[in-house]
Amino acid sequence: MTISPNWRSENKHLQILEAAEKGKYGVIAAIAYNIEQIIGLVDAAKKARSPLILQFFPWAITFGDGILIKTAAEAVRNCDVPISIHLDHAQNEELIKKAMQLPFDSIMVDMSHYEKEENLAKTARLVKLCHERGIATEAEPGRIEGGEDGVMDTEGLEGSKTTPEEAEEFVATGVDALAPAFGNVHGEYGKIGPQLDFARLSQLRKVLNGRVRLALHGTNGFMPELMKQCIAAGMNKINVNRLVLDDYYEHLYATVEKVPHTTLMEQGVQQVVDLTVSWMNICGSAGQA
Ligand SMILES: [Zn+2]
């Protein structure tokens, strides 16, 4: 397989993130678990005239032999707004090789469960493998606490904030986007709420100086103001999970015994559309496509 030397400018995911950096807005990168959510997220992007990143956990590669990911590719094929497909937290080489057989525009090479030297070496090798196939990459320098839906928890390994040195070391692996650890947490924040270190984030942004795009992980329970603050601080890719799906599940649990299944699905799609459009407005991506 020969890949064009300027594959970067042709990669949809990188095009979306470049435009976000230039336009100073954040692009929602939403996890989808089923077909209603895929349809709802894509419809939200069309309705808001917004770019979008459709994300999957590695679970979706084995579930139904990747049918959700293939369906997502089908759903975005004739879309007139830019939508890329990304694999979140791919934590081993075997999985990344499987993912390359699927229509991903970007893969998160997450080796953060290894100690740093091994993490860096593995990241560099796997980033190269992805790039040779025209696939963009993301990595996590430092260690974001917590785990979610099949993504390995950093058991026994303490979360640690990304240092400027680590950021440099990861840029050297050739990775396209970084997900810094600056007090953000995977899963739930608990009573005290998010305690983000914006001083650290601004220090990292200064050091990185536009060489890579920044991805925000761990946004469950974020308020609009905090989200806007993160985007103003340079976050381009905004990973969301419950933030755009909460209304869908609330509707599902409240309605499952009351309406026909087809109606349940249609109403569920609408719940995803409405909540996602509201976050596209908050992140400033609405109207940018
Ligand atoms: Zn994450």
Side-chain angles (χ1 to χ4, degrees):
M1 185 175 166
T2 47
I3 190 85
S4 153
N6 47 1
W7 68 269
R8 269 196 173 81
S9 58
E10 290 159 18
N11 179 285
K12 208 198 273 186
H13 188 78
L14 293 178
Q15 288 170 352
I16 289 171
L17 293 182
E18 285 298 326
E21 169 72 12
K22 283 202 184 88
K24 297 181 171 27
Y25 55 87
V27 179
I28 292 286
I31 290 280
Y33 294 88
N34 64 21
I35 200 150
E36 295 99 295
Q37 294 169 1
I38 292 172
I39 296 170
L41 292 165
V42 170
D43 282 357
K46 290 181 186 166
K47 189 175 175 192
R49 302 301 311 166
S50 168
L52 168 73
I53 296 162
L54 271 178
Q55 284 197 167
F56 294 92
F57 282 133
W59 162 84
I61 290 178
T62 44
F63 176 75
D65 199 22
I67 188 94
L68 287 176
I69 299 151
K70 293 171 198 166
T71 301
E74 184 63 27
V76 308
R77 194 194 308 277
N78 294 315
C79 236
D80 61 352
V81 291
I83 304 177
S84 65
I85 302 176
H86 172 84
L87 177 61
D88 201 15
H89 291 284
Q91 294 178 311
N92 66 65
E93 178 165 350
E94 194 197 347
L95 189 84
I96 290 171
K97 286 184 170 162
K98 269 189 199 146
M100 286 170 173
Q101 312 301 316
L102 286 159
F104 283 111
D105 301 293
S106 173
I107 293 176
M108 181 184 185
V109 176
D110 176 11
M111 300 292 132
S112 65
H113 47 292
Y114 290 103
E115 290 305 335
K116 202 168 78 184
E117 289 311 309
E118 201 174 356
N119 178 353
L120 280 169
K122 283 181 189 289
T123 302
R125 198 161 51 78
L126 294 169
V127 160
K128 187 162 176 279
L129 212 59
C130 289
H131 285 175
E132 284 167 359
R133 285 154 185 81
I135 301 169
T137 53
E138 178 178 326
E140 179 178 310
R143 218 174 253 140
I144 300 172
E145 296 260 16
E148 57 185 320
D149 291 335
V151 175
M152 201 187 304
D153 199 343
T154 47
E155 293 164 68
L157 299 167
E158 256 186 74
S160 57
K161 287 180 188 170
T162 307
T163 64
E165 294 72 31
E166 277 168 334
E168 278 297 348
E169 288 164 345
F170 274 82
V171 170
T173 67
V175 77
D176 305 288
L178 288 183
F182 65 113
N184 43 336
V185 168
H186 285 126
E188 305 310 317
Y189 279 92
K191 259 197 186 129
I192 192 166
Q195 304 293 311
L196 303 183
D197 184 347
F198 281 99
R200 177 64 62 95
L201 184 55
S202 110
Q203 187 189 17
L204 292 172
R205 184 156 162 79
K206 213 169 277 170
V207 166
L208 292 167
N209 196 23
R211 288 175 292 167
V212 290
R213 304 282 69 82
L214 290 178
L216 174 63
H217 286 226
T219 58
N220 279 351
F222 267 35
M223 300 304 277
E225 277 319 305
L226 185 61
M227 187 64 91
K228 286 180 183 172
Q229 203 183 342
C230 289
I231 293 165
M235 289 297 186
N236 309 121
K237 173 174 178 276
I238 312 298
N239 281 19
V240 298
N241 187 336
R242 286 194 35 205
L243 223 45
V244 297
L245 299 180
D246 270 350
D247 288 358
Y248 169 88
Y249 289 110
E250 198 176 309
H251 169 267
L252 177 70
Y253 301 140
T255 322
V256 64
E257 290 176 350
K258 296 178 186 150
V259 298
H261 197 172
T262 46
T263 308
L264 186 73
M265 289 176 80
E266 286 166 4
Q267 291 177 350
V269 166
Q270 200 52 48
Q271 295 294 331
V272 178
V273 171
D274 293 346
L275 195 51
T276 307
V277 166
S278 75
W279 279 102
M280 285 169 163
N281 281 309
I282 293 162
C283 292
S285 68
Q288 300 283 355

